[in-house]
Amino acid sequence: MAKASHRRPGYMPALDSVKGVALIAVITYHFNTEWLPGAYWSIDFFFVLSGFLITALLLKEFERKDRVDLVAFWGRRFRRLMPVALLVICAVAVWALLINDPLVSRQVRGDGLGAMTYVLNLKYVVTGSSYFESFLTPSPLRHMWSLSLEEQWYAVWPLALWAVLGRGGIRAAKRAVPVLLSLAAAGAILMAYLVHDAADPSRVYYGSDTRSQALFVGAALGIWAHHRAFDSGSARRRLDAAALVSGTLCVWMVFKTSDQDLTWYRGGFIAFSLLASPLILAVAQPTPGIVHKIVDHQPFRWLGQLTYGIYLWHWPIDVAFKRLEIRGKLPVSGFALFVFQTSIILIVSAVSFYLVERPIRDNRWPIPRPKLTTSVVFAVVIALLMGLTRPSVGSGISLSAVTPGPKDVGQDGSPASVPHGGDPTLDLSESISKPAPQPAPDAPGPISVDKKPTILWVGDSTAWVMASMFQGPGIKALDGSMPGCGLDLAPMLLGNTLRERDVGCPNWQTRWAEHVSENPDLVVIAQGFHATFDVQVDGRRIVVGSPEWRARYHDQLQTGIDLVKAADARIAMLTYPCSEWRGTKTGGEEHERARAAAVNDEIRAVAAENPGWVSVVDWASFLCPKGTMVEEIEGVEMRPDGAHLLESSAPIAFRWLAPRLLEVARRPAA
């Protein structure tokens, strides 16, 4: 027994150092993906490391006690992981209450409950949540999906290993290595299969079945290493050489790959997991080698000790800082902001580590009646999360009461300055274009005045925000949007910087068609500033407003309208309002009035070619009267990021927009 234990790689400070380096990559990636575009691989490094360490600990316990105490193991995991997670969830919930943004509150409530029950990644899979939405504020608890996956592993793998050890001891565990590697390969094959026709790789990114391949590799490594000794000079040199080569390749992947490249979803994840294995095994050796000398330094070691807390705190702090940055409330930006924000993350993480995480982990906090105390804490956190519930923005408006009269039927689509206050059902003619007098014979008829209309929103993040907010007793909203995606699939030119479209964008037509099959009464096409960027085709720059651009955009709009016509539903196209995007640098094209005018010209032209089907609602006249963006209406910030409504401003927009959409749906046929 003693000899086997001596061979087993034990805990070494270098492991903490490597964890610290990987953590720096994660923080940098989340701050600015362009700095380290492939640092998302660091998550898989932690998965492999977790599978390796947990397996090694369980094997060590079995050798020492001839059994594995699963209840004690799960208790240690709970004390190690849950207290700080609950603290972070509470802090985020309080922050959500303070900023009073119901959209954030809804995210925190759902994701907080998912994180507490360790099913957050499964929640994202079921709901189709995207990890790669570019222009929206993500949930401040989104990063806890990976902890859910690990906890699912901690629940299943120890039980399986316990059963294997109970039947045949360490020798039986050794025979499990090919099985574990086969399961990892199966996960890789499933990932490649599912991503083949995926509009967005988030399903395979979040999925327990596809992402557990790294954990399987780590577990196989833990069992294999338990039966290997690297005491001799030649064996150690070979291991160090393998670790240096594999580590170099891992670093290359961190700097040179991208989460938007679907190629890496076809074997890349298992390849990285296998590459990370020699590095982990080398730093886990009881005697220092060349790899130790390269990576094992006190600052990295300290970061590694705080890895769990830093990971938990860094993402909500990053989300909070980005919210402030978008609103222009931070005195610094760029690298200076990164240094300042990272300092805050380290301070908060250190405080929680020394005052909460370590004392509870080491049983230095005597907790009276632990089961009762734990139940009370869970109840308090759940009550706090449920307290974030907010009514939908349309809950105070009954659309069934709106019955447009003859004067509500517009005569043309010319822009008008529409009052922000007063009766929202008045002067609809100023902002709704009437289709040509001779509609197509197959054009859809009006919906009944008594019917609760079903409205499908399609477009980019503008449509996503509206679909999520415009709900109420008189309206049902369907979401067919694709955040981050315009209609043009060609790469965008942000100033002179070329940017590829997000991975899911080529499938926007499929998504529209899928949701059109739900038979909405009205389909609203809402496009944000993606339409205002020049595109590059065959090496040529196509400028917004040029004849070639007009023909492309016209055809793209018509393609979308043809898809919608299959639902036999009327269509409302919102004009593009001016934007002053304050998030990711774009080159400023969305600010130019001439570009907005060109986009709206084509919207009106396409509407005129589809009489009886399409009406234009002059959304720009509400948000940008006289071509200038309105900052506030009734004392409420409308679009703090320069592009998207908040739920605090949505009720004001709802009062203006809802009756106009209803007018389009109920207008008698010409």
Side-chain angles (χ1 to χ4, degrees):
M1 295 290 183
K3 186 176 181 180
S5 180
H6 171 70
R7 290 178 178 176
R8 179 195 54 81
Y11 167 79
M12 287 295 294
L15 274 176
D16 276 337
S17 294
V18 174
K19 287 163 59 180
V21 173
L23 185 66
I24 292 173
V26 172
I27 293 175
T28 305
Y29 169 74
H30 284 155
F31 181 83
N32 189 329
T33 57
E34 295 179 358
W35 291 357
L36 286 178
Y40 63 96
W41 294 115
S42 297
I43 298 298
D44 287 82
F45 175 85
F46 283 110
F47 285 161
V48 177
L49 181 60
S50 181
F52 170 78
L53 289 177
I54 292 302
T55 303
L57 288 172
L58 292 172
L59 292 176
K60 178 182 178 181
E61 180 179 352
F62 181 81
E63 285 192 324
R64 188 175 67 252
K65 300 180 180 179
D66 202 31
R67 65 185 180 87
V68 174
D69 189 339
L70 293 179
V71 174
F73 169 81
W74 288 322
R76 291 193 300 270
R77 289 290 89 195
F78 185 88
R79 288 196 305 273
R80 171 74 175 86
L81 302 176
M82 183 56 77
V84 182
L86 290 177
L87 181 62
V88 171
I89 293 171
C90 284
V92 170
V94 171
W95 174 73
L97 286 171
L98 292 176
I99 65 173
N100 194 31
D101 184 339
L103 182 57
V104 174
S105 296
R106 189 164 61 218
Q107 289 176 324
V108 171
R109 182 178 67 252
D111 289 356
L113 294 173
M116 288 177 62
T117 53
Y118 293 125
V119 295
L120 185 57
N121 66 315
L122 302 179
K123 170 182 177 288
Y124 288 156
V125 169
V126 171
T127 59
S129 299
S130 176
Y131 184 81
F132 305 97
E133 293 170 357
S134 301
F135 293 105
L136 298 175
T137 300
S139 164
L141 296 176
R142 186 181 71 178
H143 65 312
M144 297 183 79
W145 74 268
S146 61
L147 304 180
S148 294
L149 176 57
E150 285 202 57
E151 282 299 318
Q152 294 159 23
W153 171 261
Y154 294 151
V156 175
W157 170 238
L159 189 62
L161 184 58
W162 169 81
V164 170
L165 292 172
R167 289 179 63 86
I170 299 295
R171 290 183 179 275
K174 183 178 180 180
R175 292 193 293 271
V177 171
V179 177
L180 290 168
L181 293 178
S182 297
L183 291 172
I189 293 170
L190 179 62
M191 174 179 279
Y193 173 76
L194 292 177
V195 84
H196 178 67
D197 293 319
D200 186 317
S202 295
R203 157 63 183 88
V204 297
Y205 194 87
Y206 287 130
S208 301
D209 49 358
T210 50
R211 291 307 296 275
S212 59
Q213 53 190 287
L215 291 160
F216 284 124
V217 169
L221 178 66
I223 296 174
W224 181 84
H226 193 80
H227 294 271
R228 297 292 186 277
F230 298 91
D231 298 332
S232 67
S234 59
R236 185 55 187 273
R237 284 193 296 271
R238 287 195 297 271
L239 175 60
D240 283 344
L244 289 174
V245 172
S246 65
T248 301
L249 291 174
C250 289
V251 171
W252 178 86
M253 292 177 73
V254 166
F255 277 93
K256 295 299 183 180
T257 63
S258 169
D259 59 16
Q260 299 291 305
D261 186 352
L262 292 183
T263 302
W264 295 102
Y265 292 84
R266 302 182 179 99
F269 283 82
I270 193 170
F272 182 89
S273 300
L274 293 172
L275 286 174
S277 297
L279 178 61
I280 291 172
L281 187 57
V283 296
Q285 294 307 302
T287 56
I290 187 172
V291 178
H292 291 70
K293 296 177 181 179
I294 294 174
V295 302
D296 189 16
H297 301 284
Q298 183 57 42
F300 294 150
R301 193 183 304 169
W302 180 76
L303 287 174
Q305 292 173 349
L306 272 64
T307 295
Y308 181 62
I310 293 175
Y311 182 78
L312 284 178
W313 287 108
H314 90 280
W315 180 253
I317 290 175
D318 182 75
V319 169
F321 268 78
K322 280 186 169 61
R323 184 181 178 90
L324 293 174
E325 184 183 20
I326 285 174
R327 287 157 176 77
K329 296 181 179 180
L330 290 177
V332 293
S333 60
F335 185 73
L337 176 58
F338 174 71
V339 173
F340 177 68
Q341 179 176 307
T342 302
S343 300
I344 298 298
I345 292 170
L346 293 179
I347 291 171
V348 173
S349 302
V351 170
S352 71
F353 176 77
Y354 291 112
L355 297 184
V356 179
E357 182 179 345
R358 192 164 68 173
I360 294 178
R361 181 194 65 189
D362 297 341
N363 281 322
R364 286 187 287 164
W365 271 18
I367 301 177
R369 306 181 68 178
K371 292 183 179 179
L372 177 61
T373 301
T374 302
S375 300
V376 170
V377 171
F378 265 79
V380 170
V381 177
I382 292 173
L384 181 60
L385 291 172
M386 297 309 295
L388 295 173
T389 304
R390 293 289 188 275
S392 60
V393 299
S395 59
I397 303 174
S398 177
L399 295 186
S400 61
V402 180
T403 308
K407 67 178 180 179
D408 296 324
V409 181
Q411 300 303 315
D412 55 49
S414 59
S417 178
V418 180
H420 296 138
D423 186 346
T425 67
L426 298 178
D427 299 322
L428 302 189
S429 60
E430 295 180 333
S431 53
I432 303 177
S433 66
K434 182 181 179 181
Q438 298 299 324
D442 58 346
I447 66 170
S448 167
V449 172
D450 299 326
K451 181 180 180 181
K452 175 181 178 179
T454 297
I455 298 180
L456 170 64
W457 294 84
V458 295
D460 57 14
S461 56
T462 301
W464 180 86
V465 170
M466 291 179 172
S468 65
M469 294 179 179
F470 285 15
Q471 304 276 358
I475 189 171
K476 177 183 178 182
L478 303 176
D479 179 17
S481 65
M482 293 194 70
C485 299
L487 301 182
D488 201 321
L489 303 182
M492 298 179 291
L493 283 161
L494 312 184
N496 291 318
T497 301
L498 187 67
R499 174 173 173 171
E500 296 290 338
R501 302 287 177 171
D502 290 351
V503 291
C505 293
N507 291 353
W508 69 265
Q509 297 180 29
T510 302
R511 183 166 174 82
W512 284 31
E514 289 175 351
H515 287 278
V516 160
S517 66
E518 299 180 59
N519 297 315
D521 300 301
L522 179 68
V523 178
V524 181
I525 302 176
Q527 282 290 305
F529 54 70
H530 291 89
T532 66
F533 295 125
D534 297 343
V535 296
Q536 181 171 292
V537 179
D538 298 329
R540 296 179 298 105
R541 184 174 192 136
I542 300 179
V543 179
V544 173
S546 66
E548 186 174 3
W549 175 87
R550 289 181 181 275
R552 284 179 63 87
Y553 190 56
H554 191 99
D555 290 345
Q556 291 154 6
L557 286 173
Q558 188 60 56
T559 297
I561 289 170
D562 290 341
L563 289 171
V564 171
K565 283 183 177 180
D568 195 33
R570 292 187 176 188
I571 302 166
M573 287 201 295
L574 306 188
T575 56
Y576 167 72
C578 57
S579 295
E580 295 182 7
W581 176 244
R582 296 157 188 170
T584 307
K585 300 301 181 184
T586 62
E589 291 83 352
E590 72 277 12
H591 298 195
E592 298 179 19
R593 294 187 183 184
R595 291 173 180 266
V599 170
N600 291 332
D601 284 347
E602 294 311 311
I603 287 174
R604 292 189 174 91
V606 171
E609 294 174 6
N610 292 270
W613 288 95
V614 182
S615 297
V616 177
V617 177
D618 195 11
W619 185 228
S621 67
F622 175 68
L623 292 175
C624 301
K626 300 180 181 179
T628 303
M629 191 177 82
V630 174
E631 295 286 347
E632 294 185 356
I633 297 177
E634 300 176 14
V636 177
E637 277 189 297
M638 294 303 293
R639 296 184 292 166
D641 66 358
H644 304 105
L645 294 170
L646 297 175
E647 283 209 25
S648 55
S649 60
I652 298 171
F654 189 91
R655 291 200 305 270
W656 186 92
L657 184 58
R660 286 162 173 81
L661 296 179
L662 192 59
E663 154 67 8
V664 173
R666 291 178 176 171
R667 174 192 290 142

